[in-house]
Amino acid sequence: MKKILLLNGPNLNRLGKREPEIYGHTTLQELETALKEQAEEKGYQLLSAQSNHEGDLIEHIHKAEDEGYGGIILNPGAYTHYSYALRDGVASVSVPVIEVHISNIHQRESFRHHSVIAAETIGQIVGFGLYGYELALDAIINYIKGRV
């Protein structure tokens, strides 16, 4: 079964508690469980990781390459806007990466409008709430299958 990594960055462990008016009431664990079930229904294994530490996220990206993962769904959190180390980590692997954000980063504070990660990904999904993760899962599976 082909593996996909769901990788969430800083503060996403606070889903369901942090600013529910922006991020909703669903916890990260609930999101991961639902996505794992959806992935399995499509014949894929979804493995999840979250870290508030930049280096840990990079290690997960490298591990995904080394272990032959088919794709990565990445929400880099605030690292989106300034982590060149994380950007270089994404650039250093051949595993396709989709960047996802719960809120529409282009409608928020001006410092959130630019992603240093996006240019190294196959696509970016923003502003659809947690549904964006489902869209990213469908997109990465279709990409793996050569449909996009």
Side-chain angles (χ1 to χ4, degrees):
M1 188 178 290
K2 198 71 162 170
K3 295 185 286 188
I4 296 171
L5 175 62
L6 171 62
L7 186 58
N8 281 288
N11 299 308
L12 287 154
N13 59 309
R14 302 294 297 165
L15 279 179
K17 299 175 185 174
R18 173 188 176 206
E19 302 174 276
E21 66 282 0
I22 296 173
Y23 302 106
H25 295 283
T26 302
T27 67
L28 181 58
Q29 183 177 9
E30 292 167 336
L31 172 65
E32 290 172 346
T33 299
L35 288 172
K36 284 178 185 179
E37 291 172 3
Q38 292 172 28
E40 287 174 10
E41 290 171 3
K42 297 172 185 198
Y44 290 81
Q45 180 182 14
L46 185 80
L47 294 109
S48 303
Q50 185 279 327
S51 181
N52 294 319
H53 305 283
E54 186 177 39
D56 290 345
L57 297 170
I58 295 166
E59 291 294 333
H60 283 293
I61 292 167
H62 294 170
K63 183 179 174 183
E65 169 90 345
D66 296 342
E67 294 184 3
Y69 280 57
I72 300 171
I73 298 167
L74 172 64
N75 184 337
Y79 289 137
T80 300
H81 316 294
Y82 67 89
S83 177
Y84 296 105
L86 188 56
R87 176 240 173 255
D88 289 350
V90 171
S92 77
V93 299
S94 61
V95 179
V97 177
I98 294 180
E99 181 181 342
V100 63
H101 295 281
I102 297 166
S103 65
N104 185 340
I105 61 173
H106 306 290
Q107 291 179 335
R108 296 190 62 195
E109 303 93 337
S110 61
F111 72 88
R112 296 186 195 274
H113 294 181
H114 180 70
S115 168
V116 299
I117 312 290
E120 299 304 326
T121 68
I122 61 167
Q124 183 187 63
I125 298 171
V126 303
F128 291 100
L130 297 182
Y131 179 58
Y133 285 92
E134 292 181 44
L135 294 170
L137 179 62
D138 284 342
I140 200 76
I141 289 171
N142 279 300
Y143 187 87
I144 292 167
K145 290 180 175 182
R147 295 181 183 160
V148 286

